[in-house]
């Protein structure tokens, strides 16, 4: 059994959703369907959210778009850290963190 965290912010841009799932091996030896344990949604920071919304309308420069990749990554990382802290998870407790 392994624990995994998934992060996503869909096109509705209403927050960053974080879920914790448990993955076990199925009878065939391959991973079985993940079991949902818990989840939470985190708001985008206002300053980053403004840039994201501008990017939806192509109202940012190429430099700002490139910088947004790093900013968004930092926001996702902070959401994962906050989630782990709130659920008393240590880095070694989680096998993988993925985001889309």
């Amino acid at each position: 059994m392994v624990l995994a965290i998934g992060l996503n912010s869909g096109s509705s841009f209403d927050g960053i959703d974080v879920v914790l799932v448990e993955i076990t091996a199925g009878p065939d030896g391959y991973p079985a369907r993940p079991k949902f344990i818990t989840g939470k949604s985190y708001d985008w920071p206002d300053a980053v959210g403004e840039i994201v919304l501008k990017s939806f309308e192509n109202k940012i420069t190429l430099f700002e778009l490139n910088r947004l990749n790093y900013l968004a990554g930092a926001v996702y990382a902070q959401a994962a850290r906050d989630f782990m802290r709130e659920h008393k998870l240590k880095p070694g407790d989680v096998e993988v963190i993925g985001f889309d």
Side-chain angles (χ1 to χ4, degrees), residues 3-7 16-21 36-42 75-90 94 96-97:
L3 295 177
I5 289 178
L7 300 106
I16 296 171
D17 298 319
V18 184
V19 296
L20 178 67
V21 297
F36 175 81
I37 297 174
T38 190
K40 184 174 179 177
S41 186
Y42 295 88
V75 172
Y76 275 102
Q78 188 63 52
R81 290 180 63 158
D82 291 345
F83 182 85
M84 290 177 70
R85 190 174 308 114
E86 290 167 18
H87 292 90
K88 298 178 179 31
L89 295 166
K90 297 180 203 113
V94 177
V96 65
I97 299 174

Side-chain angles (χ1 to χ4, degrees), residues 13-76:
F13 192 63
D14 56 353
I16 296 171
D17 298 319
V18 184
V19 296
L20 178 67
V21 297
E22 176 184 282
I23 303 171
T24 58
D28 58 1
Y30 291 101
R33 182 182 205 148
K35 176 185 171 193
F36 175 81
I37 297 174
T38 190
K40 184 174 179 177
S41 186
Y42 295 88
D43 292 332
W44 281 91
D46 291 338
V48 179
E50 288 176 24
I51 299 169
V52 172
L53 292 174
K54 282 182 175 180
S55 75
F56 289 167
E57 300 173 0
N58 293 322
K59 292 184 177 178
I60 62 173
T61 66
L62 186 56
F63 175 79
E64 290 170 318
L65 182 61
N66 188 34
R67 187 163 188 272
L68 180 56
N69 285 321
Y70 292 97
L71 290 171
V75 172
Y76 275 102

